[in-house]
């Protein structure tokens, strides 16, 4: 059975039936392109939702069922004059004219509007009376809201500057609109940086244009097919809009690396004298098998995020799993087929200078061989020094503050950011995203009414809260107390305000009252999101670490190797966390690197990065340890096996790590803070793992442990032998190509 499912046998079949395999992939690529073109826009959403029922969701469900329907989206238009006050006739005339044009967009865009000069709009004027607001309630939910925001923006921009008035607008829809545009620009910029830089590294590794271009083509194929699959899946389970960014980032990183390892091993086998098909088969039983195990570790790591019951994590996980799975499948089938077509033409269009660098021998006495033997001469000291360094870099992690960096961290030239800042300056009590206190009870009873007044009195004494307004449904059994918070809805101040409402003010006001009181709204959604991440982080860690340990145990027939790999990966991930805090939270080098210092790390990033970094860093461990295990099985000499593994994979893994690092750096070069944080952290972790961990920690630890590296308890001897590098078979070398 094991032989029937061997990657080597599959690679041989694909190489001999190459046109069939290529035809299947071309058909799949065309189908995916059609799916993406027709379904992608409808399969993506800007809404973030829970799949469980935290308090904020329960509050929203009550409001939707018994008061207002689905949660309304509001856009706020800000009108300011430096010379006129809201009492001046010219100011009023300008606002009312703009109000009429906004309402004329129709009820399919603006469901309801309220201006300062209308009944109920008395609070929509700033303290200095130079700024007035128009509140617009959009029709429908978040899906389709960006198009409505664009139509509002056209009118706002046309009015801005007329008669000396400054006109801006902001709100969830306009922030989402700007974020989408920036995300698209960031994606194009990342591709513009990552792909050319990866091509340069590939040319250094291979010295030939065809061999260098092929991994990029394979990565693009994996990305395109994964996007098409995501578009189809999105029809049943809408995915968050930046899933395409994650697919591109992960696809470029793993797709290029997987092809790099396979092509390099194929060229090595051809150099040993194997015929074309036999070299492809031998590569299938070595590098391709390692790719399969590496891909499985990434998929396991990213699948851990599916446990977290939010649309954001599940979208990111699904996108990553799709593109890695497609990249692995392409490595198993399409790469052997293309190698069967190209044969030695994989080395075509050689670049003479780079070719000499690529062919430089790093055998015994070479750079990586010297590194390994130098480290193993003083293994305890080497291990202690690098471990101490990585632990020191990880220390700032314990000062990490998480939150949501909203409109305040967008680029300064975006209209929604300018509108948000104007609103925060002139209306510090907070009109955007109020906390919503939902009271489920008899609103006409004296006890409930008295409790509401007690709550209002308590909130009035706390400067974080603005004036609360009460709304009651027709049945009189549900009330909504909207409580403005003078802070951005995802900020730590807003979260603390929600905690104060839930834990202090509401229990004091409603003690002994027959009513159920829940806190919803955007700030409560943020609070529940943070709590969700805190709850599920240890579960995800246990899932990823446990399954990865099991897979590596099967791959290397050892319990020591996976335990050591897990520990070393945790060190590199921890160091990446610490550096992220230093750069983004404390601002060390942020300006130099072109990053924005913020008060918090995005709440979803630490757990997401753990899954990504743990999976990707395992790539290098699998490839390095597979060559070490292969040599150890042949010689039984642990020191020689470690040196052999390091010198034969040194140049290759360094190139692969550089490719991943430049891809991630491309994403970090964008404008959105969340992508800056993800790209920087991933690039740092990969570089740390491919240098300090691979060149120092691995050889020093393996030197200290000796034969214990390959220890497998007897009571586990029944486990199937799935080792990455099986014993080398005899492959035909006399076949004419």
């Amino acid at each position: 059975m094991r032989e029937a499912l061997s990657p080597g046998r599959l690679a041989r079949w694909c190489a001999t039936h190459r046109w069939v395999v290529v035809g299947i992939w071309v058909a799949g690529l065309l189908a995916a392109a059609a799916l993406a073109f027709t379904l992608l826009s409808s399969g993506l959403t800007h809404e973030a939702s829970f799949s469980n029922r935290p308090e904020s969701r329960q509050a929203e469900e009550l409001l939707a069922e018994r008061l207002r329907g689905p949660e309304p989206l509001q856009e706020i238009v800000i009108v300011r004059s430096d010379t006129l006050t809201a009492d001046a006739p010219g100011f009023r005339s300008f606002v009312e004219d703009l109000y009429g044009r906004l309402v004329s967009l129709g009820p399919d865009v603006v469901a309801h509007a309220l201006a300062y000069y209308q009944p109920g709009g008395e609070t929509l004027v700033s303290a200095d009376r130079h700024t007035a607001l128009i509140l617009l309630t959009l029709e429908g939910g978040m899906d389709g809201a960006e198009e409505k925001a664009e139509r509002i923006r056209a009118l706002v921009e046309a009015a801005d500057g007329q008669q000396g008035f400054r006109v801006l607008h902001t709100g969830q829809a306009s922030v989402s609109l700007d974020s989408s545009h920036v995300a698209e620009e960031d994606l194009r910029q990342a591709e513009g940086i990552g792909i050319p830089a990866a091509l340069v590294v590939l040319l250094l590794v291979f010295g030939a244009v065809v061999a260098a271009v092929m991994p990029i083509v394979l990565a693009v194929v994996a990305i395109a097919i994964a996007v098409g699959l995501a578009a189809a899946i999105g029809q049943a389970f809408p995915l968050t809009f930046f899933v395409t960014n994650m697919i591109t980032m992960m696809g470029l990183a793993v797709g290029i690396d997987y092809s790099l390892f396979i092509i390099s091993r194929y060229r090595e086998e051809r150099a040993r004298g194997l015929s074309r098909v036999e070299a492809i088969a031998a590569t299938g039983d070595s590098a391709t098998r390692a790719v399969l195990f590496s891909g499985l570790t990434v998929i396991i790591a990213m699948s851990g995020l599916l446990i977290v019951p939010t649309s954001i994590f599940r979208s990111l996980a699904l996108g990553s799993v799709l593109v890695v799975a497609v990249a692995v499948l392409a490595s198993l089938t399409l790469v052997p087929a293309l190698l069967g077509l190209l044969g030695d033409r994989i080395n075509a269009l050689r670049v003479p200078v780079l070719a000499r660098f690529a062919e430089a021998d790093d055998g015994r006495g070479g750079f990586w061989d010297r590194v390994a033997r130098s480290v193993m001469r003083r293994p305890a000291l080497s291990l202690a020094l690098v471990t101490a360094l990585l632990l020191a870099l990880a220390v700032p992690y314990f000062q990490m503050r998480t939150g949501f960096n909203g409109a305040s961290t967008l680029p300064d030239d975006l209209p929604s950011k300018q509108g948000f800042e104007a609103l925060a300056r002139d209306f510090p009590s907070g009109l955007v995203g109020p906390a919503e206190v939902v009271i489920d009870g008899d609103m006409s009873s004296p006890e409930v009414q008295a409790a509401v007044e007690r709550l209002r009195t308590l909130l009035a004494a706390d400067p974080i809260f603005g004036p609360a307004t009460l709304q009651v449904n027709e049945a009189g059994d549900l009330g909504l107390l909207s409580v403005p918070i003078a802070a951005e809805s995802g900020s730590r101040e807003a979260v603390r305000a929600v905690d104060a409402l839930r834990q202090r003010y509401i229990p004091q006001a409603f003690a002994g009252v027959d009513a159920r009181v829940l806190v919803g709204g955007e700030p409560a959604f943020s609070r529940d999101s943070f709590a969700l991440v805190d709850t599920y982080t240890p579960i995800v860690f246990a899932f990823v670490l446990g399954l990865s340990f099991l897979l590596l145990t099967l791959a290397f027939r050892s319990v020591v190797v996976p335990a050591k790999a897990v520990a070393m990966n945790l060190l590199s991930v921890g160091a990446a966390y610490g550096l992220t805090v230093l750069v983004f939270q404390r601002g060390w080098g942020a300006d130099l690197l072109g990053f924005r210092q913020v008060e918090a790390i995005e709440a979803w990033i630490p757990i997401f990065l753990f899954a990504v970094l743990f999976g990707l860093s395992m790539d290098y461990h699998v490839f390095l340890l597979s060559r070490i295990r292969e040599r150890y099985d042949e010689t039984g000499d642990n020191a020689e096996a470690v040196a052999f593994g390091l010198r034969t994979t040194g140049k290759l893994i360094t190139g692969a790590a550089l490719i991943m690092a430049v891809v991630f750096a491309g994403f970090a070069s964008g404008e959105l803070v969340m992508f800056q944080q993800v790209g920087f952290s991933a690039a740092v972790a990969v570089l740390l793992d491919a240098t300090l961990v691979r060149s120092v920690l691995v050889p020093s630890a393996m030197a200290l442990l000796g034969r214990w590296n390959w220890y497998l308890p007897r009571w586990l001897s029944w486990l199937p032998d799935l080792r990455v590098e099986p014993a080398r078979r005899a492959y035909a070398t006399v076949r004419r190509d």
Side-chain angles (χ1 to χ4, degrees), residues 124-140:
L124 304 181
V125 66
S126 63
D128 66 2
R129 305 192 69 77
H130 282 278
T131 303
L133 304 180
I134 302 173
L135 300 186
L136 304 175
T137 302
L138 303 188
E139 174 62 29

Side-chain angles (χ1 to χ4, degrees), residues 285-546:
D285 271 334
S286 53
T288 307
R289 187 187 292 268
V291 164
L292 176 60
F293 276 97
S294 296
L296 287 175
T297 61
V298 178
I299 289 172
I300 286 172
M302 298 309 301
S303 296
L305 296 180
L306 294 172
I307 299 171
V308 187
T310 68
S311 60
I312 291 178
F313 283 108
R314 291 183 174 178
S315 297
L316 295 174
L318 183 62
S320 300
V321 167
L322 285 175
V323 76
V324 173
V326 174
V328 170
L329 185 60
S331 300
L332 291 170
T333 58
L334 182 57
V335 174
L338 292 176
L339 289 174
L341 285 173
L342 291 170
D344 290 336
R345 290 191 299 275
I346 193 70
N347 299 316
L349 303 179
R350 292 164 61 85
V351 183
V353 176
L354 299 181
R356 285 196 295 272
F357 175 82
E359 293 167 1
D361 183 26
D362 189 43
R364 291 180 181 273
F367 173 77
W368 290 110
D369 186 67
R370 292 196 302 272
V371 168
R373 296 185 185 280
S374 175
V375 168
M376 288 190 292
R377 277 196 295 270
R378 299 177 181 84
L381 179 62
S382 301
L383 183 68
L385 288 176
V386 173
T387 300
L389 174 62
L390 292 176
L391 288 174
L393 291 176
V395 167
Y397 164 73
F398 297 100
Q399 286 81 48
M400 179 184 286
R401 297 192 301 268
T402 57
F404 287 145
N405 295 301
S408 62
T409 62
L410 290 174
D412 293 337
D413 60 342
L414 294 181
S416 61
K417 167 71 173 290
Q418 296 171 0
F420 174 83
E421 290 180 334
L423 188 65
R425 180 187 65 241
D426 294 331
F427 295 86
S429 61
L431 290 171
V432 179
E436 297 183 327
V437 179
V438 180
I439 306 157
D440 184 9
D442 183 2
M443 297 302 297
S444 63
S445 73
E447 293 83 1
V448 172
Q449 292 179 357
V452 171
E453 290 307 312
R454 285 196 298 271
L455 180 58
R456 277 178 155 162
T457 302
L458 290 169
L459 298 181
D462 191 332
I464 192 70
F465 299 107
T469 57
L470 180 64
Q471 183 181 359
V472 180
N473 67 350
E474 292 183 1
D477 61 357
L478 189 74
L480 167 60
L481 192 67
S482 293
V483 183
I485 296 177
E488 196 170 354
S489 60
S491 66
R492 296 173 64 83
E493 291 79 6
V495 167
R496 283 195 290 265
V498 171
D499 286 339
L501 275 170
R502 288 176 171 173
Q503 299 169 16
R504 188 162 73 248
Y505 294 137
I506 290 175
Q508 288 179 27
F510 282 84
V513 177
D514 185 19
R516 181 166 67 123
V517 185
L518 304 171
V519 181
E522 289 183 42
F525 177 91
S526 298
R527 182 67 189 92
D528 290 339
S529 297
F530 301 158
L532 196 76
V533 170
D534 292 341
T535 298
Y536 280 90
T537 293
I539 299 174
V540 172
F541 274 47
F543 175 87
V544 172
L545 296 177

